[in-house]
Amino acid sequence: MPRPRPDTPAPGQESVWDYPRPPRVEAVPARVTIRLGGELIADTRDAVRVLETSHPPVYYLPMADFVSGALADAAGASFCEFKGTARYLDVVGGGVVRAAAAWNYPQPSPGFAALRDRVAVYAGTMDECTVGGEVVTPQPGGFYGGWITAAVVGPFKGAPGSMGW
């Protein structure tokens, strides 16, 4: 499938089509929060985001910034050609369990050491995820874990018909 035509960003926005491949990791200056089961389970000003062509940013929060008991080992693993082998985690909050709704890279590949001891969460499985007070929209599809904010424009990989991008 041919590459789609990128949306034109407005002032203050980024196009995901300007993100690099291989991806880049960068610090996030904003407060990032996650709620599940009516509870605030993560709150940090120390997140990083991974930027990769055609994907909205994936936010990684320090494991230490999740409330105790919010993360539990889950079955499964996957491999990213850039970041290495990911393990999955269940996310728990307010009596709700979301199976394999988070992942991390215990031994990230060279160039991605900033992801060690950090966790990414599928926003669509949580009650709410925010960046700088803005509630995010989950990346389309069920595989990728990007968070869409008003600061990014697509089109975004993950929507039906986008696998070949």
Side-chain angles (χ1 to χ4, degrees):
M1 170 174 279
R3 175 181 158 156
R5 183 174 185 178
D7 297 334
T8 301
Q13 290 184 313
E14 305 170 337
S15 171
V16 299
W17 292 92
D18 292 331
Y19 291 165
R21 187 167 174 89
R24 177 177 74 237
V25 179
E26 66 179 30
V28 175
R31 179 180 181 206
V32 177
T33 66
I34 300 172
R35 292 184 181 277
L36 179 62
E39 294 182 357
L40 182 66
I41 62 164
D43 188 348
T44 190
R45 291 187 178 275
D46 184 28
V48 298
R49 64 184 191 155
V50 173
L51 307 177
E52 181 175 357
T53 305
S54 77
H55 296 268
V58 177
Y59 288 79
Y60 288 80
L61 288 64
M63 295 177 86
D65 288 348
F66 282 79
V67 299
S68 180
L71 300 171
D73 289 338
S78 61
F79 181 77
C80 170
E81 65 183 303
F82 302 114
K83 297 177 289 289
T85 301
R87 69 174 177 146
Y88 289 90
L89 301 160
D90 294 340
V91 182
V92 181
V96 174
V97 177
R98 296 287 188 244
W103 67 98
N104 88 314
Y105 294 91
Q107 301 293 325
S109 298
F112 293 91
L115 301 182
R116 185 175 281 113
D117 299 323
R118 293 179 182 272
V119 175
V121 173
Y122 288 108
T125 63
M126 301 295 110
D127 293 349
E128 178 184 88
C129 298
T130 68
V131 176
E134 178 184 351
V135 176
V136 307
T137 300
Q139 182 172 6
F143 182 72
Y144 303 110
W147 294 9
I148 301 169
T149 66
V152 296
V153 297
F156 307 109
K157 186 166 183 163
S162 67
M163 282 305 274
W165 292 356

